[in-house]
Amino acid sequence: MGVLPLKGAGGRVSLLRPLLLMINLEAAIDGTQAVAMVSGTVFCDQCKDGQRSLFDYPLPGIKVTITCADGEGQVTMSREETTNMFGNYFMRFDGTPDLSNCNAQVSGSGQGSNDCGATAGPAQKLRLMFRMFGMEFFGVDSLLSEPAQPMSFCPRSATPVPGPVITPTRPSAPTAPTGSPPTFRLPPLPRLPPLPPLPPLPPLPPMPPSPFLEASACSHQYWIMPEYKCYWRVLNPESKVALIFGPLAARRYGTDMTLWEGLQGRGDPYKTLMREGTTALLNSYNSLQFPYNSIGVVTHMNWALMGSTRGALITALRFIRANSGSGGVTCKLTPCK
């Protein structure tokens, strides 16, 4: 017969393997000898809360008494045992006694027990775990033994003791005086003196010229005159040609040439192209109806710089035609104030 592991309800009661081995050997030797076994564990209830908790531990050296009674409550059998070093106790009853009406309870402290044996916890009823080959195994829920006072580290009760209820007494309301109260009237406020007149506001500065909604085309001579310098709104005369027209212009004209210097170019197809391209770019920012928009001017400039000298000259001539106001368009610039 093999050794069978045995667990009680909730894992609280268990039989040790050596005990089962001994029982099996005795059963093998004695044949069909009947026997009843009872086992359990005693714990120290350090917090005196009447239940198992994290603060409890198995208690050795505690006496446990099993008492059986008949239907009328008369004690028919009693047996006492002391817990071992693991807090466990074992009792053996030969034959097949009726243990269905038996209880186990802590009955006292034996040798080696500590101060936790001051008070015994409630008794627990024996429960039949299983029956096999004439042998019965009973388990008992954990027995508790309590100290005289709870330990200092135990949590206090979460339910506070209600204090005495004090009912406040309301003072009696004062009696209203008889008769109407006197009437008070405030004197009239004096009239405020009139405010002094505010000084006149300074005149607003003149507004910068707004973009033309009508067609306008101005040659490069207009854009180099000081009286029209206020129309350089988007572009700055000191802006670099390489920054405005891109890497191809930087390779052709260098990185130091400004737009103002580009307007002075003449006597060379590429200088003429730069002069008229810059003029066309200025016109595109100042007239919504100029034949080229700003992106178109930059695009045609780069196409001309990638092509031949003849192509650059043709593009310059087209810019000259647009800047001169082909189709009767005139320059609408007015001198800046």
Side-chain angles (χ1 to χ4, degrees):
M1 180 183 301
V3 179
L4 298 177
L6 178 61
K7 294 184 179 179
R12 294 178 294 180
V13 180
S14 63
L15 296 179
L16 297 180
R17 295 175 63 91
L19 177 63
L20 288 177
L21 181 59
M22 179 184 67
I23 295 174
N24 291 335
L25 290 176
E26 291 182 358
I29 296 174
D30 298 338
T32 60
Q33 180 180 1
V35 65
M37 296 294 302
V38 180
S39 66
T41 307
V42 179
F43 287 88
C44 177
D45 185 11
Q46 297 192 93
C47 297
K48 294 179 66 69
D49 54 4
Q51 59 184 354
R52 287 279 307 279
S53 65
L54 296 176
F55 302 99
D56 301 342
Y57 61 90
L59 193 60
I62 291 294
K63 294 182 179 180
V64 178
T65 301
I66 293 180
T67 304
C68 302
D70 56 14
E72 298 179 357
Q74 299 295 326
V75 177
T76 59
M77 183 175 54
S78 179
R79 181 76 61 85
E80 187 179 67
E81 189 62 64
T82 304
T83 58
N84 59 16
M85 61 182 301
F86 302 107
N88 300 322
Y89 60 91
F90 306 95
M91 296 186 189
R92 170 174 172 164
F93 298 87
D94 294 331
T96 56
D98 184 12
L99 303 181
S100 60
N101 197 27
C102 298
N103 295 315
Q105 189 175 19
V106 173
S107 57
S109 58
Q111 296 181 355
S113 63
N114 55 15
D115 295 336
C116 200
T119 306
Q124 299 292 343
K125 188 176 181 61
L126 273 63
R127 294 179 293 104
L128 178 64
M129 306 303 297
F130 68 91
R131 182 183 292 109
M132 181 177 61
F133 302 116
M135 295 181 295
E136 296 179 342
F137 295 89
F138 290 85
V140 183
D141 289 341
S142 299
L143 298 178
L144 300 179
S145 182
E146 301 175 351
Q149 296 294 332
M151 297 299 161
S152 59
F153 52 79
C154 293
R156 296 185 178 181
S157 176
T159 305
V161 179
V165 179
I166 301 176
T167 304
T169 58
R170 298 181 59 184
S172 58
T175 57
T178 59
S180 60
T183 303
F184 296 96
R185 292 184 180 180
L186 296 176
L189 296 176
R191 297 184 61 182
L192 297 176
L195 296 176
L198 296 176
L201 296 176
L204 296 176
M207 297 293 293
S210 59
F212 294 116
L213 299 179
E214 55 182 342
S216 175
C218 303
S219 63
H220 70 279
Q221 289 89 351
Y222 284 92
W223 292 106
I224 59 178
M225 294 181 181
E227 58 266 31
Y228 301 123
K229 199 171 184 179
C230 61
Y231 289 92
W232 288 69
R233 290 188 293 269
V234 179
L235 301 176
N236 189 297
E238 300 301 323
S239 298
K240 303 298 182 181
V241 167
L243 180 63
I244 301 301
F245 291 103
L248 293 177
R251 186 171 60 182
R252 170 63 63 176
Y253 303 103
T255 57
D256 296 330
M257 177 182 287
T258 63
L259 294 179
W260 185 263
E261 294 172 348
L263 287 175
Q264 317 298 326
R266 58 176 50 86
D268 178 83
Y270 287 100
K271 291 182 179 180
T272 303
L273 175 65
M274 175 54 60
R275 182 191 68 204
E276 298 302 324
T278 303
T279 303
L281 189 60
L282 289 168
N283 285 324
S284 67
Y285 281 123
N286 284 272
S287 177
L288 298 178
Q289 298 188 34
F290 189 71
Y292 297 94
N293 57 34
S294 57
I295 298 178
V297 173
V298 175
T299 302
H300 283 80
M301 278 286 297
N302 281 273
W303 284 349
L305 293 174
M306 288 188 298
S308 61
T309 304
R310 182 174 179 274
L313 183 58
I314 292 176
T315 302
L317 293 176
R318 290 175 179 173
F319 282 152
I320 291 175
R321 182 181 179 185
N323 295 330
S324 301
S326 60
V329 179
T330 59
C331 181
K332 300 299 190 300
L333 300 182
T334 57
C336 303
K337 296 181 180 180

